Amino acid sequence: MIIAAVLVATVTLVQAPVDSSAAALYRSWCAQCHGADGRGEAARQTHLAVRPANLAECKTSTAETEAGWTDSVREGGAAFGLSLDMPSFGEAATPEQLRAVVRYVRSLCGERGWPPGELNFPRAFLAEKAYPENEAVVTAHGGGQGYVYERRIGRRAQLEASARTVFDSAGRPFDGVTGALKYNVWHSAARHAIASVGLETTPPVGRQDVWTVEPFGAVGANPLPALFIQGELGSSWEDGAGVTGFSYSLGIGRAVGRLVPMLEVGGGVPRGSESTVSLVPQVWFQLSRLGHVAGSLGVELPVRGPEPRHPRLTAFVLWDFGDAGLFKGW
């Protein structure tokens, strides 16, 4: 994703009035299906196989990047495995016209506080995303598996529920569950950065013996086109033991088409024990044409620790269910 170039344009859109030519383009190209107000309730909607998207709904207009919106208008719905009713304007429009109508569409939200889709960086393996998301994720880390459900609440908040299993010789495959709340405390389109705080709670079920609470902070930034940095800093508190240690992760990635090679370094600083450090090279890859289904494959390489550790494979598959159904967009 060429994030930095489109981000400045998005900021200009929010702060400056939309010119009449952009509004005229919208009325000519889009209003028949999406309505003059963008809510998808135009008179022609009864003739369409799929109801048009509500472009005035902030969670719809802000979640994607300007580049993604422009591609959709230029190529049409069929190019992304979506409705054939969405036509292609690529041959009939200049790049400037495409950008103008997309900026007009994104201005229909009319509410402040929604972080733009340009700050929704590809998911890393160690660092928590700072962007509030609607995702279902299945992870694998060595012999362990994770099942994660994330639900965005309003503009900035996210609730998360996860469960873990481990299939080994212990004969207790259910590892435990965790609930989490994340909140986007700050974001800046001008600075291409976002920061969130959160709290994870794990009850004593499965292989977990005591209550554990883990506050954390997550950040993401896009300092150069197609280059991004993500990091997380957290601590752990256990019932009866107090603060047991701290954890950290920092990663860098670069988008290359539908692939995003990344490198993360992460570790822990437990109280009264030697710290651990690992490197996790990984490759995020887009699976669906729409981009709402993606995966990652990598390996954890131990660098430092109190005892010998072996490399472990890491992988995940995610579905951004806020964008489209699992079997759409292919």
Side-chain angles (χ1 to χ4, degrees), residues 7-282:
L7 212 46
V8 175
T10 303
V11 178
T12 304
L13 160 69
V14 173
Q15 296 178 341
V18 179
D19 62 35
S20 59
S21 63
L25 286 171
Y26 176 83
R27 288 194 297 269
S28 175
W29 294 355
C30 314
Q32 278 191 310
C33 296
H34 291 282
D37 59 1
R39 299 185 181 278
E41 297 176 356
R44 283 191 54 192
Q45 73 181 28
T46 56
H47 303 290
L48 302 177
V50 178
R51 179 172 176 169
N54 182 356
L55 302 178
E57 187 178 44
C58 293
K59 67 179 181 180
T60 298
S61 61
T62 62
E64 301 302 321
T65 65
E66 183 178 294
W69 276 104
T70 303
D71 289 343
S72 297
V73 177
R74 181 179 58 248
E75 304 296 335
F80 300 95
L82 298 176
S83 174
L84 299 179
D85 292 325
M86 173 64 185
S88 167
F89 293 91
E91 299 297 326
T94 66
E96 291 75 18
Q97 288 175 319
L98 291 172
R99 286 194 295 270
V101 76
V102 164
R103 293 169 191 172
Y104 180 85
V105 166
R106 299 188 85 188
S107 75
L108 296 176
C109 164
E111 296 180 7
R112 296 185 178 274
W114 293 80
E118 282 81 0
L119 302 179
N120 186 5
F121 306 124
R123 183 187 183 98
F125 194 83
L126 296 180
E128 174 75 24
K129 289 176 67 171
Y131 193 89
E133 193 61 282
N134 289 310
E135 286 184 344
V137 188
V138 178
T139 68
H141 186 206
Q145 302 79 38
Y147 316 91
V148 185
Y149 177 81
E150 300 169 345
R151 167 65 71 173
R152 184 171 183 169
I153 307 297
R155 306 178 189 186
R156 298 172 179 260
Q158 175 192 297
L159 292 175
E160 177 181 312
S162 63
R164 299 171 302 279
T165 55
V166 180
F167 294 94
D168 56 17
S169 59
R172 298 172 62 193
F174 179 54
D175 183 45
V177 296
T178 296
L181 173 65
K182 181 173 69 179
Y183 187 79
N184 169 224
V185 294
W186 174 83
H187 64 268
S188 170
R191 299 187 180 185
H192 314 156
I194 184 170
S196 296
V197 296
L199 188 70
E200 296 184 351
T201 302
T202 302
V205 296
R207 297 190 183 190
Q208 310 303 309
D209 297 324
V210 295
W211 281 93
T212 302
V213 178
E214 299 181 0
F216 67 87
V219 297
N222 169 223
L224 295 171
L227 183 74
F228 55 87
I229 299 170
Q230 297 185 88
E232 180 183 357
L233 181 64
S235 65
S236 180
W237 175 92
E238 290 185 0
D239 185 22
V243 177
T244 58
F246 299 87
S247 62
Y248 64 90
S249 62
L250 182 65
I252 184 169
R254 182 177 179 85
V256 183
R258 294 174 66 162
L259 301 177
V260 182
M262 290 189 256
L263 178 63
E264 286 187 282
V265 57
V269 185
R271 188 181 65 187
S273 181
E274 184 180 349
S275 62
T276 62
V277 180
S278 295
L279 293 176
V280 185
Q282 59 201 271

